[in-house]
Amino acid sequence: MPPASGSQPGSLQPGAQQQTFVISDIRIDGLQRISPGVMFSLLPVSIGDTMQPGMTGPIIRAVTESGYFEEVEVAREGDVLLLTVLERPSVSEINIEGNRVLQTEDILENMASAEIVEGGIFTRATLEAIRQGIQEVYSSRGRYGTTVDIEVIEQPRNRVAIDMTVNEGEESRIKDVNLVGNTTYGEEELTELMDLGTRPWYLPFSRRDRYSREQLSGDIERVTSYYLDNGFARFNVDSTPVTITPDNEQIYITINVSEGQQYEISRVDLVGDLVNAEALLRAYTLVGPGQTYSQALITASEEYMTQILGNLGYAFATVEGVPTINDDEQTVEVIFYVEPGARTYVNRINYRGNVATADEVLRREMRQLESAPASSQQIELSKIRLERLGYFSTVEVDTVEVPGTSDQIDVEFDVEEQSFGSISFSVGSGGGGDWFVSTDLQAENFLGTGRTVAVGLNRSYFQSSARFAYVDPYFTPDGVSRGFNVFLQKQDSPFNIASFSTTSYGASLNFSYPISEVQSIGYNIGYTHTELSSGGLSVQEIESTPRLGPNDRYLIRPANNNPWEGPVMDAVTAPISSLPEQYRGLPSEPGFIDKYGTTFDNFTFTTNYVYSTLNRGQLATRGTQHQLAFEITVPGSDLQYYRATYTGEYFKPIYGDDWVFHVKTNLGFGNGYGNTDDMPFFQNFFAGGLAYNGVVRGYDENSLGPRSTDPRTISPQQAGLLKDDNGNIILTPGGSASYDGTVAYPTVPVFDSNGQPVLDADGNQQVQLAVETFNLNRRDRDSFGGNVLTTLTAEVLFPLPFVQDRGGVRSSVFLDVGNVFSSSCSASQQRLGCSNFDAGELRYSAGVGVTYLSPFGPLTFYLAAPLKKGENDRTKTFDFTIGAGF
């Protein structure tokens, strides 16, 4: 409602200000969005109050300071107080276009901090401040040409829409960084400390020359720290003018410094309450008299002493090193002020986030105990032990003061569970009618108990097996673990391995004893019954061929039972023993089965040592691990052999926590002893692809190392005709005869190197058995493995872009090196390249790999190229595995 005729805005009617009256009613005109209740709450007067002269001003101020109204008028109609208001418009929508460097969410958040939001009240003055603020942010990032155009569009019902168009312009480039006042250190040495600078010619895509105010501040801090850490206690950066060319394209940065003189430390002392630990605190003081002053060493000393006090139970201790500078003598006196505070005790240890894992599983890893003095070292060690379990993707710890106390804290562990096993079921068929059914459960934290349970049933064209394994890592309260394993398995040779089959069953019992926080030693006692089969046509190293009996004969002249092909006559044969040995085709060396048979009962004893400082149980990023194992069959076993293996890993962060250098090596050696000459071939090591403990990606799985020798065969022929009791051939009415079932081996003539027939002692042409080599390589399973394993992997782990869960995904660029060798190559294997360890025979590959901790277990993929390929090597550029990570 417009103001009353003759009234002035913001005032009562003429003369009303001099009048006193009791307010009988208050009427408000002009409200649209603001409720009358809100309006009445703003007024300093109410119905029934007496209106005094001079109260108009306070009423207007109270209403306008709310920010809801553009104008307020106060008038009187009789005893009624009349207020007429004009509301500020509300913001119906905010539209932003053209921004790429700054996210829309960041701009809206900045506007919200100034109370300009959709549905809020609109003020032009605040909007202009926002425009200038956005331009300043862009300028701080080197975009001095940025403009921000804002259009306010009026809409019905006293609303406005804000359209903001950002023209970010081009980034200004740093043309030169100039340091002025530095004499001790050269400009090149100092600019190497800085992130900002001119772009190197050899890095065309470098962003080093993109200006950022925050980066410049960080560079100044680094230069300052460099001087302070080298004794220049009075060093100062006087000014850092930044100039830009008129076209906003080039930036020149000048850093004016005052170096001052280099100072030495004259005295170091500790004051305060040293809690009877002065000697220990002084041992961790890294500065001393006569040393060049270093602020970094003072800060490190503060941190060490604070940590020492924390380990002694003073969780809220503070240590501050205060330097006192003597300019006349150019020395610095450093006094460390120690404030331990009250000794702190742990009230409760609480856990959050362990939905599936029982509290007891976490609590038994604690090295910090409840009701004991709080030790930062023990709390951190407890956190590390939880991370090493492998059950959690993240583990965070915090200490919280107990309300109402000054000497008690609660320790809060916040964990995030991850996949700690694998569960799978699959059924299908392959080429040629091969089929498989596979079920497998591998639970490292079975039902949240911390125990490992593995159950597997598998049926495929090369394996049928059943197994059950169980491990209790806390069989005793002090951390002795116990486990057992039982299995039944029938297996043909795995992929790329020489043909054979085994049927085996057995069981084992194992214990592991912790000998320190990072070391353990284990023992395993096992029994295995194995039945070995060569499949009837084996490689020479498993069973030598051809196999001839003492009564076998060879053909001198074959039989003829068909009268149409000549006279019917019996075969002429002779015992093979009458052939000279060199013409019998006998194998030069016996195979494994020839020497040891096909059935074995073996009792094994295994001991292993583990040293691990890895920060995680899965996909570690820092620390070291060494695993050494020695297995031997006890005397009295059918096969006597031993195997020693070593696995070592090392992780070192090289840039933050996401870029990590990793090296891993696997070494193995085995041999026979006693009545067994060599390690059994089915215990051989293999390498290639993602083979267990023999990882050399870029080559087919298990394909590297010694090859097996193809078997040799000779096909017998029908050699005798049916005869009557008088020894005469029985003829049919048609004149033909039938074979009697006897066989003999065919022969071929022998010729010398000149192609001339070789004659026997009687002058007849010498013959030899017609032995042929049978090629088993139809399914690419001709690797034989060896008793010497050497592999090495060096890789750089890096984060994948757009992946938030860095703890569950690992990507890397890698170089793999390795091979398998044999210390007992057969003569035929040597012709195929088999040898003892030879560095020249190592294989190399390079590529990229990714491991993902899926809910069904680790998934590992790789893409690799072999860098060295032997004549018989088989390569594989891409492969993946489910259920095993690397």
Side-chain angles (χ1 to χ4, degrees):
M1 175 178 179
S5 176
S7 67
Q8 301 295 322
S11 63
L12 292 174
Q13 293 177 347
Q17 295 189 40
Q18 308 301 324
Q19 300 176 6
T20 299
F21 66 95
V22 176
I23 301 172
S24 61
D25 194 10
I26 299 175
R27 193 172 73 209
I28 303 171
D29 290 336
L31 294 179
Q32 297 183 36
R33 291 174 292 103
I34 308 301
S35 67
V38 172
M39 186 67 187
F40 285 125
S41 69
L42 298 175
L43 295 177
V45 295
S46 58
I47 296 173
D49 289 347
T50 300
M51 186 71 180
Q52 300 287 348
M55 292 180 64
T56 302
I59 293 174
I60 294 174
R61 282 194 299 273
V63 175
T64 56
E65 285 176 358
S66 69
Y68 295 144
F69 306 102
E70 291 258 7
E71 298 179 7
V72 181
E73 293 183 356
V74 180
R76 174 186 177 187
E77 288 185 357
D79 292 336
V80 176
L81 185 64
L82 175 64
L83 281 85
T84 304
V85 298
L86 177 62
E87 291 183 357
R88 295 185 187 276
S90 66
V91 179
S92 61
E93 58 180 305
I94 301 174
N95 303 308
I96 304 173
E97 295 181 350
N99 56 304
R100 297 186 307 275
V101 175
L102 290 184
Q103 298 295 320
T104 299
E105 293 79 7
D106 295 334
I107 296 176
L108 291 174
E109 186 177 340
N110 179 272
M111 298 177 71
S113 65
E115 298 184 352
I116 292 187
V117 295
E118 292 185 359
I121 297 172
F122 170 74
T123 59
R124 290 187 179 274
T126 304
L127 193 60
E128 183 59 30
I130 289 173
R131 181 213 309 267
Q132 295 177 2
I134 293 173
Q135 287 179 323
E136 186 137 344
V137 172
Y138 275 101
S139 296
S140 71
R141 300 191 180 190
R143 293 180 178 266
Y144 288 93
T146 299
T147 60
V148 180
D149 296 323
I150 299 177
E151 183 180 2
V152 179
I153 303 172
E154 295 186 2
Q155 294 182 331
R157 300 195 305 276
N158 197 24
R159 299 179 305 153
V160 296
I162 300 174
D163 290 347
M164 181 180 295
T165 304
V166 180
N167 180 7
E168 295 181 333
E170 296 295 328
E171 284 184 287
S172 305
R173 307 296 180 92
I174 297 173
K175 185 65 176 176
D176 185 43
V177 177
N178 184 32
L179 283 95
V180 178
N182 55 304
T183 58
T184 305
Y185 303 109
E187 185 168 301
E188 183 177 351
E189 182 178 355
L190 295 176
T191 53
E192 285 182 355
L193 302 172
M194 302 173 61
D195 289 336
L196 294 180
T198 56
R199 182 176 60 191
W201 63 268
Y202 53 84
L203 294 175
F205 301 106
S206 170
R207 297 185 61 84
R208 178 178 167 85
D209 62 346
R210 309 299 173 88
Y211 174 77
S212 166
R213 186 180 300 165
E214 291 79 6
Q215 281 187 302
L216 180 58
S217 298
D219 287 341
I220 291 172
E221 289 181 7
R222 276 188 285 275
V223 171
T224 302
S225 296
Y226 188 71
Y227 272 95
L228 292 177
D229 296 342
N230 286 279
F232 295 88
R234 290 297 190 187
F235 175 81
N236 185 58
V237 176
D238 300 324
S239 62
T240 56
V242 177
T243 58
I244 184 169
T245 56
D247 58 6
N248 292 328
E249 291 186 358
Q250 295 180 342
I251 296 174
Y252 293 82
I253 301 174
T254 302
I255 303 176
N256 296 301
V257 304
S258 298
E259 288 184 339
Q261 299 297 317
Q262 201 170 33
Y263 287 69
E264 286 188 355
I265 294 177
S266 61
R267 176 172 171 262
V268 176
D269 203 2
L270 280 69
V271 299
D273 185 359
L274 305 184
V275 294
N276 296 321
E278 181 176 356
L280 185 59
L281 294 174
R282 288 190 180 276
Y284 283 88
T285 304
L286 306 181
V287 292
Q291 285 182 300
T292 301
Y293 172 78
S294 172
Q295 183 60 50
L297 291 181
I298 293 174
T299 302
S301 300
E302 294 172 345
E303 293 174 352
Y304 281 134
M305 286 189 277
T306 301
Q307 185 175 3
I308 291 298
L309 291 170
N311 294 341
L312 296 175
Y314 299 93
F316 304 107
T318 60
V319 178
E320 182 181 6
V322 178
T324 301
I325 300 174
N326 186 326
D327 291 317
D328 295 333
E329 299 180 3
Q330 294 181 12
T331 60
V332 179
E333 181 182 79
V334 182
I335 305 296
F336 289 96
Y337 292 89
V338 180
E339 293 288 343
R343 194 168 194 185
T344 312
Y345 294 83
V346 173
N347 175 52
R348 288 283 301 165
I349 299 177
N350 301 313
Y351 308 98
R352 295 192 300 267
N354 54 315
V355 178
T357 306
D359 275 12
E360 174 60 27
V361 175
L362 285 73
R363 193 169 295 279
R364 66 193 184 191
E365 301 297 331
M366 295 296 100
R367 294 303 178 259
Q368 172 65 63
L369 303 179
E370 293 177 341
S371 301
S375 169
S376 56
Q377 182 181 33
Q378 298 301 321
I379 293 173
E380 181 63 21
L381 180 57
S382 300
K383 174 178 178 289
I384 291 172
R385 290 186 63 86
L386 291 180
E387 291 174 325
R388 289 175 181 164
L389 287 175
Y391 307 158
F392 311 110
S393 58
T394 60
V395 179
E396 301 294 338
V397 62
D398 193 16
T399 55
V400 181
E401 290 187 68
V402 176
T405 69
S406 61
D407 62 350
Q408 294 185 40
I409 61 171
D410 288 336
V411 180
E412 308 279 351
F413 285 95
D414 196 344
V415 301
E416 182 177 346
E417 291 178 328
Q418 66 180 5
S419 172
F420 30 71
S422 59
I423 303 174
S424 65
F425 173 80
S426 56
V427 58
S429 63
D434 296 323
W435 62 278
F436 63 89
V437 175
S438 175
T439 61
D440 194 72
L441 163 67
Q442 176 75 31
E444 303 293 337
N445 184 17
F446 183 67
L447 299 180
T449 63
R451 301 181 177 94
T452 298
V453 174
V455 179
L457 296 172
N458 292 279
R459 177 70 177 96
S460 69
Y461 73 91
F462 70 88
Q463 176 177 281
S464 300
S465 66
R467 70 178 181 120
F468 180 80
Y470 172 85
V471 177
D472 183 356
Y474 277 85
F475 175 62
T476 65
D478 54 355
V480 174
S481 72
R482 183 191 67 174
F484 64 87
N485 174 51
V486 293
F487 70 92
L488 171 64
Q489 176 178 279
K490 182 176 182 180
Q491 178 176 318
D492 293 328
S493 52
F495 295 112
N496 301 319
I497 298 175
S499 178
F500 68 93
S501 64
T502 58
T503 300
S504 58
Y505 57 83
S508 63
L509 179 67
N510 59 78
F511 294 89
S512 180
Y513 300 84
I515 54 180
S516 76
E517 288 291 346
V518 295
Q519 299 177 86
S520 64
I521 188 167
Y523 303 96
N524 179 293
I525 300 173
Y527 163 75
T528 302
H529 173 84
T530 303
E531 297 178 8
L532 174 64
S533 171
S534 63
L537 195 60
S538 172
V539 298
Q540 299 284 25
E541 288 70 29
I542 297 178
E543 187 174 22
S544 61
T545 52
R547 304 192 62 80
L548 302 174
N551 299 321
D552 289 340
R553 304 177 70 84
Y554 70 92
L555 285 170
I556 297 176
R557 186 190 68 198
N560 177 34
N561 69 339
N562 188 350
W564 296 98
E565 296 179 358
V568 174
M569 62 181 65
D570 205 359
V572 177
T573 64
I576 286 178
S577 59
S578 65
L579 275 177
E581 283 195 10
Q582 65 268 34
Y583 299 126
R584 299 179 192 172
L586 298 177
S588 58
E589 297 179 85
F592 183 86
I593 290 177
D594 303 324
K595 292 190 289 186
Y596 306 112
T598 59
T599 303
F600 317 103
D601 289 295
N602 295 321
F603 296 87
T604 58
F605 174 77
T606 305
T607 181
N608 62 77
Y609 167 79
V610 178
Y611 171 91
S612 179
T613 61
L614 299 183
N615 64 328
R616 294 180 190 164
Q618 298 190 69
L619 302 189
T621 57
R622 65 177 68 237
T624 302
Q625 180 168 274
H626 304 281
Q627 298 183 76
L628 182 64
F630 181 77
E631 174 188 0
I632 187 170
T633 56
V634 301
S637 297
D638 290 334
L639 296 173
Q640 297 177 351
Y641 66 91
Y642 62 86
R643 281 169 38 115
T645 58
Y646 167 77
T647 299
E649 286 192 89
Y650 173 72
F651 294 88
K652 174 67 175 178
I654 55 178
Y655 184 76
D657 292 327
D658 295 327
W659 290 78
V660 179
F661 173 71
H662 173 222
V663 62
K664 179 178 182 179
T665 185
N666 289 295
L667 306 175
F669 179 79
N671 215 337
Y673 77 95
N675 59 13
T676 306
D677 296 332
D678 307 309
M679 185 170 72
F681 71 92
F682 48 83
Q683 296 291 338
N684 277 351
F685 299 109
F686 292 89
L690 293 170
Y692 176 71
N693 278 343
V695 172
V696 186
R697 289 160 285 189
Y699 299 86
D700 217 350
E701 188 168 359
N702 299 322
S703 66
L704 294 180
R707 305 289 178 183
S708 56
T709 307
D710 286 330
R712 297 187 303 163
T713 183
I714 179 170
S715 300
Q717 292 184 2
Q718 297 279 6
L721 302 179
L722 285 174
K723 302 178 182 66
D724 58 20
D725 295 338
N726 298 320
N728 299 315
I729 297 174
I730 301 174
L731 298 176
T732 65
S736 62
S738 300
Y739 289 107
D740 62 5
T742 61
V743 296
Y745 290 101
T747 59
V748 294
V750 179
F751 298 91
D752 61 19
S753 59
N754 296 319
Q756 298 300 315
V758 176
L759 304 180
D760 61 17
D762 297 327
N764 299 316
Q765 183 169 9
Q766 179 65 59
V767 295
Q768 63 183 4
L769 292 181
V771 178
E772 296 178 337
T773 298
F774 186 83
N775 185 4
L776 284 177
N777 197 25
R778 295 191 303 271
R779 298 179 75 174
D780 291 336
R781 298 182 183 179
D782 60 353
S783 293
F784 196 67
N787 66 324
V788 180
L789 170 68
T790 304
T791 65
L792 174 71
T793 290
E795 59 185 350
V796 174
L797 313 179
F798 62 90
L800 283 174
F802 314 116
V803 174
Q804 300 297 323
D805 183 12
R806 299 286 173 81
V809 179
R810 162 176 292 173
S811 51
S812 68
V813 291
F814 61 81
L815 173 69
D816 285 350
V817 182
N819 210 336
V820 174
F821 304 91
S822 176
S823 62
S824 56
C825 300
S826 66
S828 55
Q829 281 184 307
Q830 291 177 14
R831 292 192 291 271
L832 296 174
C834 178
S835 69
N836 207 337
F837 177 78
D838 182 355
E841 291 298 319
L842 292 174
R843 299 294 185 258
Y844 304 83
S845 67
V848 295
V850 176
T851 295
Y852 164 56
L853 294 181
S854 76
F856 303 100
L859 276 69
T860 298
F861 306 82
Y862 75 79
L863 188 67
L867 304 180
K868 181 180 180 182
K869 186 175 183 296
E871 180 181 354
N872 297 315
D873 291 342
R874 292 188 294 274
T875 61
K876 196 169 191 178
T877 303
F878 171 79
D879 203 359
F880 71 95
T881 183
I882 302 176
F886 177 71

